[in-house]
Amino acid sequence: MDPIYRALIVCTNHTDYPTKSHKTGLWLSEATHFYDELSGRNLPYDIASPTGGTVPIDEKSIDRRDTINEKWYHDPTFRTKLENSLLVDDVNPANYQIIYFTGGHGTMWDFPNNLVLQMLTRQIYEKGGMVAAVCHGVSALLNVTLSDGSLLIDNRQVTGFSNMEEKLVRLDEEVPFLLEDALRQKNALYSKSLIPFLPYIEVDERLVTGQNPLSARKVGRKVLEEMYEK
C-alpha cells in the first residue's frame, strides 16, 4: 500500500504593481494544474499564504477555456481552501512531505524574504521531503539556507520565469528584480526552454522547479514520481 503524503501549496497575498492598474496575485493554473496531478493519488493538501486568508487571483489567469481551472476553481473544497488559506506562521512542517510554491507576479514581493517560508522549506527538505516551485514561485527558494549554512539552490539545477518571458509580458520594469538574474547570482545552475512559454522543468534530487505556467502539471507529475519511486 502506498504511503500517504501531505502537500503544502503556498500562494501569494500580494496584488499591487508599482505602476500598473491591473492586479496580480496567484496565477490560477499553477495551483490547479499541480493539484490536478496530486488529486489522482487522493493526496491530502493544505493551502497557505504569508498573511493567510483569501488568496487573490490574477485576473488575467482566469481562463474559462482551461477546463482544469474551471474544475478546481468551482470545486467547493479547493475553493474554500483558497479563500481561507492557512497563515504560514501557523503551519507545522512536520505534517508535510511536499512543499510547493505557486507563482504569479505577486510572489516576487512576498516570498523571497519571508523567514517562515524559508524555515518551512528547510525543515521539510531536511527530513527527506520534496521542495517544488513553478514560475515566479521559484523566488521563494532564493534565500533558503540549510542547517549547514549553505544555500538550498547553490550549485543546483533550477529553472524559473526567464528574463525573455518577463520582457514579452511587458512586466520587466514592474518586478522588483528579474528572477533569472537573481537565481544566477545565487550560484544556481539556471536553465530554460529555448522557446519561451513552453513547458520546462528541472529536477535536482528532491528539488523540482518549473519555468512558467504551462510547467505546473509537469512539476506535479515529477513530484509524485520522485515521492513514490523512492
Side-chain angles (χ1 to χ4, degrees):
M1 191 173 159
D2 282 338
I4 296 296
Y5 300 115
R6 190 174 192 91
L8 184 68
I9 298 173
V10 186
C11 302
T12 185
N13 298 112
H14 187 92
T15 58
D16 294 330
Y17 288 109
T19 67
K20 301 277 186 191
S21 58
H22 69 267
K23 302 291 187 184
T24 182
L26 164 69
W27 196 266
L28 186 59
S29 66
E30 293 175 14
T32 58
H33 287 211
F34 177 86
Y35 179 66
D36 198 55
E37 288 292 317
L38 270 56
S39 70
R41 292 267 190 174
N42 293 314
L43 252 69
Y45 69 103
D46 293 306
I47 294 177
S49 62
T51 59
T54 301
V55 171
I57 311 293
D58 189 310
E59 59 208 36
K60 292 178 182 288
S61 75
I62 301 176
D63 183 352
R64 286 180 166 62
R65 295 162 301 173
D66 185 327
T67 56
I68 304 302
N69 269 356
E70 288 289 287
K71 173 183 174 183
W72 292 113
Y73 196 56
H74 294 106
D75 176 84
T77 303
F78 192 87
R79 184 74 167 265
T80 297
K81 287 177 187 275
L82 266 183
E83 293 177 351
N84 301 275
S85 68
L86 304 175
L87 176 67
V88 293
D89 303 55
D90 296 336
V91 168
N92 181 358
N95 295 337
Y96 302 94
Q97 294 74 41
I98 301 165
I99 186 167
Y100 169 65
F101 293 97
T102 60
H105 280 84
T107 60
M108 298 284 277
W109 283 272
D110 64 356
F111 277 12
N113 298 310
N114 187 299
L115 296 177
V116 177
L117 291 181
Q118 293 169 32
M119 178 272 293
L120 292 173
T121 305
R122 176 174 63 253
Q123 293 198 14
I124 291 170
Y125 182 78
E126 289 187 340
K127 66 172 187 169
M130 295 289 299
V131 173
V134 74
C135 202
H136 293 93
V138 179
S139 65
L141 308 180
L142 283 167
N143 299 308
V144 175
T145 54
L146 302 177
S147 294
D148 64 5
S150 66
L151 281 172
L152 171 67
I153 61 171
D154 181 36
N155 210 35
R156 303 290 293 277
Q157 302 281 349
V158 300
T159 187
F161 208 60
S162 68
N163 291 353
M164 178 58 73
E165 287 167 326
E166 205 69 87
K167 288 182 173 70
L168 288 170
V169 296
R170 297 183 177 154
L171 291 168
D172 52 310
E173 300 291 324
E174 293 290 313
V175 289
F177 57 90
L178 293 172
L179 182 56
E180 176 182 334
D181 289 350
L183 289 166
R184 292 182 190 280
Q185 286 160 10
K186 295 286 186 176
N187 203 37
L189 305 176
Y190 178 89
S191 64
K192 59 188 172 185
S193 168
L194 290 173
I195 302 171
F197 302 111
L198 286 185
Y200 184 85
I201 68 169
E202 276 291 352
V203 184
D204 194 321
E205 296 179 343
R206 290 176 292 107
L207 178 63
V208 182
T209 49
Q211 182 178 331
N212 47 40
L214 283 177
S215 309
R217 179 175 292 283
K218 288 186 77 171
V219 170
R221 195 169 295 157
K222 194 63 187 175
V223 164
L224 291 181
E225 275 178 29
E226 295 292 317
M227 292 300 285
Y228 285 98
E229 291 179 7
K230 283 197 299 189

